[in-house]
Amino acid sequence: MSGFVRLWPEQASHYAAQVDWLVIGFTGMMAMFVVPVFVFMWVFIFRYRRGHAAERDHRPSGSLKVELTWMVLPFIGALVLFVYSARLFFEARVPPADALEIQVTAKQWMWKFQHTGGQREINTLHVPAERPVKLTMISEDVIHSLFFPSLRVKQDVLPGRYTEMWFQAERPGTYDVYCAEYCGTDHAAMTARLEVLSPSDYQRWLEGADEGRSLAAQGEALFRQFGCSGCHGAASVTRAPPLEGLYGRSVALADGSRVVADDAYLRDSILLPQKQVVAGYAPVMPTYANVMDEEAVARLVAYLRSLADPRPEPATGPSEDNR
Amino acid sequence: MNTLPTAADAAPRSYLDAAHGLRSWLFTVDHKRIAVLYMLAVTFFFFVGGLAASLIRIELVTSEGDLLTADGYNRAFTLHGVIMVWFFLIPSIPSVFGNFLVPLMIGARDLAFPRLNLISWYLLMGGGLFTLLALVLGGVDTGWTFYTPLSTMFSNGHVVAVICGVFVAGFSSILTGINLIVSIHTLRAPGMTWFRLPLFVWSMYATSIILVLATPVLAITLVLVAAEHLFGIGVFDPRLGGDPLLFQHLFWFYSHPAVYIMILPAMGVVSELITASAHKRIFGYRFVAFSSIAIAIIGFMVWGHHMFVAGQSMYASMVFSLLSFLVSIPSAIKAYNWTATLYKSDLTVHAPFLFALTFVGLFIVGGVTGLFLALLAADLHAHDTYFVVAHFHYIMVGAAVAGYFGALHFWWPKITGRMYPELWGRIAAVMIFCGFNLTFFPQFLLGYLGMPRRYHSYPADFQFLHVMSSAGASILAVAYALPLFYLAWSLRYGQRAAVNPWGAAGLEWRTASPPPVHNFNSPVVVDFEAYDYAPEAARDRL
Ligand code: HEM
Ligand SMILES: [Cu+2]
Ligand SMILES: [Cu+2]
């Protein structure tokens, strides 16, 4: 790196290149509308400065046609790029269904990542190249923001609510990751590394970092440890809804509304059980907000999701992706 | 040309000579004296905020955090932001020049509520000094944006004290806004119709609307933050059952309009400076006038462009993006009309005009980069990086402060009765322009490279551009301090100013410099248009 000054960020994805082109195109478009202002200003200043002979008769003091021209033309120009940018934005915001899923937990001042295979890392994130990766993120405390400059994407990470982001890196390499939302004392130290690996290297990494149990299997252990099975198990005495096949289904709530059981719903059911009570059940489920951190919740959610699979056994192999 | 009796010779004493002593200033209800009080206050706050900025820029010369601790740095930029936004920029032009000029420009003896006007000053000073004390003695590390739940549940500073100070100062804004609106509605001299008003008055009117409508939202939001912080009432923190994004919606609902509080007055100043330098009626008077009102209205509908990555709905983001493009049209209208005004003008290039040019140049860069940030896919990358920092400094510091200095030079003869030294004025204007660009242009590159804002230390890759920026900042610091010296010098040694040293149109140039206590010595009747310059240039200038 030494010896030259970097003036343009690396492009680690196809999307990053598209954003750069958008920015360059927009710069060109804006130049078309702005450069005339500078040019004419200087021409007029030179030509009409006091003491300089110039024709000054019939001074105009307004013209509707001129006004409309410089209102409408730049706006239409900008709209074209607005549409292009909105399409890119849409693409960046809607993850493809087959994306590899990774759980992100932020807390003052570190990043924690959990892979479906059960691998866990702190302040480093390994992902395969040429494959969409979807991050489901939540914060333990204040708002943070996960920022990948080389991918041109960031997303705030909120307490109490999952947010998501996805990308597809193309070029293997090591890239900087920052926290972009100011989060207190060591905000500047809340950085991480993104390791984009070729598919075969990634496979090797997964095996090397294997924890022995997949995320869902870890969740299953928690499910027993925290006594969930005592109520939700098949043989329990308390009347609690069965959780098999719940994920992705529409649930009828006691207040008459319906909600799709997604990650956010499962999380809220564990931490804020009184928020959405299932129709036909007593609100007896205790909250786990004080005994469980977001990482544990993420594992439980992974387990509950695995129960939606037609296969009875939760996924165990690290090479297995969750779909 | 129609001349009013100026009667500078038989005039009663000027507002400066009418009374002497500290008491005569601290208990004055004369809008001109209150304007001078405001001028002293905002100058003080400007240099306090500037001191914090210097600390920040010195810290960032090296990539490690060596001058300040992480908490010290966070406190420094919080102090800088809070002081600059609420105690310099927002009161600067409205309270100093709005106060001094609006009654003169509409032909009134004073504002509608002179006592309220004085109270507003005390509120600003009380809030300001209290805030400053809290920031210096205790320190707050939330940033001027007070994002929750950081500010309510995780901050280790004196959040509530600072919030109280800002809350009190907010009432100063509201009262000033009300005073200006009522004055413009009711105190216009006979014949001063709405479309004869100088454009500065139009911009003050638009600004006042925002002051009155937006500031209460800030006040409520701050009260909620304090309530959560002190009593744990769950409003914003999800652990207490609050909504993590609610604060941002409320805050930006105030703060986006607030950025127009900072820039609209400067736009009004520039409209005055350009026409007066050009000795020519402004091009498209009504378009420039209504664009101020349009900005005030549309400005209330774009706050979501600060939240594209915050987790708000994707479709909401698209709407906010589109509206942000819309809000830039009225600003563009102004820039184009100013340019067209110079066509066939009879232009004197003096310091106020150089400040106006500085404004236009920096405002255009700031405005265009605002559009980059309104462009959704670009903002996903640029949000919360130095690109944003550069964007808003180009507008609020580069442009708005150039507008403030332009006004200071242009109306200095009217306020003090003395001319400033012209050469020094030009030197300051050029230095500000150069120093400013050197300071902030590198920050666009830094931001696009990915340098996040509010970083106490940073990867060494970014250092070169940070060093450039700090070098520029040292030039800028000198340039901003310069007027302090030569303007002070001119109070004693400056040439005495004539009634109308610029040959400008406008009622304020038809009364003595400095004006008498009651502004005009004889009743004002307006029977001429705004910017009443000769439609054909005088032959002898050809
Ligand atoms: C031409 C119209 C403008 C547009 C389209 C525009 C657009 C934007 C956008 C989209 C952002 C959010 C960027 C981000 O956080 O990612 C932003 C930030 C900002 N803008 Fe503007 N802007 C405009 C004019 C102004 C003006 C006139 C001012 C001030 C006088 C201003 C001051 C600010 C400030 C202070 C911020 C950042 C606040 C913070 O996060 O601390 N903008 N602008
Ligand atoms: Cu952070
Ligand atoms: Cu805004």
Side-chain angles (χ1 to χ4, degrees), chain A residues 227-251:
Chain A
C228 316
S229 44
C231 291
H232 289 285
S236 87
V237 274
T238 321
R239 234 176 62 80
L243 301 178
E244 288 78 11
L246 169 63
Y247 186 73
R249 212 182 59 202
S250 160
V251 180

Side-chain angles (χ1 to χ4, degrees), chain B residues 396-408:
Chain B
M396 340 208 292
V397 184
V401 176
Y404 179 78
F405 276 134
L408 196 60

